[in-house]
Amino acid sequence: MASTTLTVGTVQVTAVCDVTGDFPEPLERAFPRVEAAAWAPWRRRHPGAFSGTDHWRLRDWCFVVRARDRVVLVDTGVGGPGVPGASWIGTPGRLPEELAAAGVEPDEIDLVVLTHLHLDHIGWNLAWDGDRPRPRFPQARYLVQRADWELFAARPDDAREAFDRCVAPLQALGVAELLDGDRVLDDQLRLLYSPGHTPGSQSLLVTSGDDAALLWGDVANHPAQVGQPDWGPAADAQPEAAARTRRRLLERVETERMWLAPAHFPEPFGTVARVEGARRWQGRP
Ligand SMILES: [Zn+2]
C-alpha cells in the first residue's frame, strides 16, 4: 500500500500502514456494550471498518512527522514474524518496507512517540541480532508515559510478553524516556496526555501557521466512536476516563478545525464533520 502524506503548514505527516486485519474477536466482544443492531448505520457509513457480518476491520497506521527541527515516528505497529502483536492479528506487519518505500531511513528518526503500550503500537521498536536487541531506529529516543510503563511492567508474567520483548529492553539500551503528562517538544510539536484507553495514553499535536493535526493513537479505535463517543472498546482500560478524553478531544478537533489522524480508522487522515447536527468522521479521500 502506498503511503499518503498530509501537509500541516510547513510540516509533512506521512501515514504508513503496518498491517490491515480483522480484530481477532467478533464485534460483540471487541465492543461489548454495543448492541449488534446499533452498528447498522455505521456499517453503511464506514464500510471499510467492518469485515463479514460481525468483525471489525482495522488498519494499523504509523505516522512519520517531518517538522522543522526533528523527524518523529508515532507508533511502531504489530511487528514482524513471531512478535506478539503479529501473532495476535494473525499476520506480520510491513513497517520497515513501507518506510523504505516512503523514503524514510531508520536513522533519520529523532524521536519515537509511543501513544501507549498495547501490542499493536510497539512491535517494531527493536531489531534483534540473534537474541540481542538493539533500537531499530538507532538515533531515536523513545517517549513513553510513565503511567503506561509502570502498568505494563507490573502485569503478571503471562500478560507481559509484548512488554518484555518490545519495550523493556529500551530502558537497558538507554533510549527510553519516561514522561509525566504533557510535554512541549518545540513550537510545532507537543505531546498531550490523553488517558483512558490506557492510563498513560498520549497524543501528538502538530501545529504550523494556522494548521493543526492531532495524532491521537487509540483515543477512538473505530470511526463510529466519533458519533458515539460513549462506545468504548473492551480494550479501554479506564472506560469513563476514556470517554471523557474522547469527548474533550473531539470537541477540540471540531472547534479548532484540526485534522485528525487515528491509528485504526480506514483512512489515516480526516476531519470531524457535522451531519444533521451529529458528529461524523470524514476521512480524507
Ligand atoms: Zn491500537
Side-chain angles (χ1 to χ4, degrees):
M1 181 187 291
S3 59
T4 174
T5 295
L6 177 74
T7 299
V8 182
T10 61
V11 179
Q12 305 287 314
V13 183
T14 298
V16 178
C17 190
D18 185 44
V19 73
T20 300
D22 289 353
F23 192 82
E25 296 183 287
L27 271 171
E28 65 185 30
R29 301 276 297 276
F31 289 85
R33 289 177 294 169
V34 182
E35 297 281 335
W39 290 105
W42 304 102
R43 191 180 287 276
R44 286 192 293 276
R45 178 167 288 277
H46 305 295
F50 295 87
S51 174
T53 56
D54 66 346
H55 274 77
W56 165 30
R57 166 68 51 93
L58 63 104
R59 282 28 168 212
D60 201 350
W61 296 107
C62 307
F63 298 91
V64 177
V65 181
R66 289 185 183 278
R68 185 188 55 240
D69 298 331
R70 46 180 62 82
V71 181
V72 181
L73 173 64
V74 177
D75 287 338
T76 69
V78 297
V83 171
S87 305
W88 169 78
I89 197 87
T91 179
R94 301 182 309 261
L95 183 64
E97 299 96 298
E98 297 290 328
L99 287 174
V104 180
E105 299 292 334
D107 61 5
E108 288 184 278
I109 305 293
D110 299 298
L111 294 176
V112 176
V113 167
L114 300 175
T115 61
H116 63 293
L117 295 183
H118 280 153
L119 80 181
D120 52 325
H121 298 258
I122 59 174
W124 293 103
N125 283 348
L126 298 164
W128 287 273
D129 301 314
D131 47 11
R132 282 180 39 162
R134 57 184 162 81
R136 181 171 292 273
F137 305 97
Q139 307 299 326
R141 284 183 297 129
Y142 289 66
L143 305 186
V144 184
Q145 290 286 328
R146 188 184 311 276
D148 257 29
W149 189 288
E150 291 183 345
L151 174 75
F152 285 78
R155 287 179 159 195
D157 287 350
D158 60 351
R160 222 175 50 209
E161 187 191 355
F163 179 87
D164 288 350
R165 179 94 184 262
C166 300
V167 179
L170 296 170
Q171 198 159 50
L173 292 164
V175 296
E177 186 172 341
L178 303 188
L179 309 181
D180 297 291
D182 292 356
R183 167 73 66 93
V184 177
L185 300 175
D186 55 47
D187 62 321
Q188 295 182 317
L189 302 174
R190 67 192 65 195
L191 292 168
L192 305 181
Y193 179 54
S194 327
H197 182 64
T198 64
S201 286
Q202 59 184 346
S203 306
L204 180 66
L205 176 61
V206 178
T207 54
S208 176
D210 291 334
D211 290 347
L214 183 66
L215 285 63
W216 77 0
D218 286 7
V219 168
N221 294 65
H222 192 286
Q225 291 176 274
V226 172
Q228 299 283 3
D230 290 332
W231 286 10
D236 279 354
Q238 301 165 307
E240 288 170 20
R244 270 198 306 278
T245 294
R246 209 148 42 231
R247 287 181 178 284
R248 178 169 58 81
L249 292 179
L250 282 167
E251 181 77 27
R252 184 165 178 192
V253 167
E254 185 186 13
T255 56
E256 298 183 26
R257 297 171 173 273
M258 294 179 191
W259 291 100
L260 182 58
H264 299 310
F265 289 15
E267 308 86 2
F269 303 117
T271 55
V272 173
R274 284 273 167 179
V275 177
E276 294 163 1
R279 287 198 183 110
R280 297 287 181 264
W281 166 251
Q282 196 83 54
R284 187 183 73 160

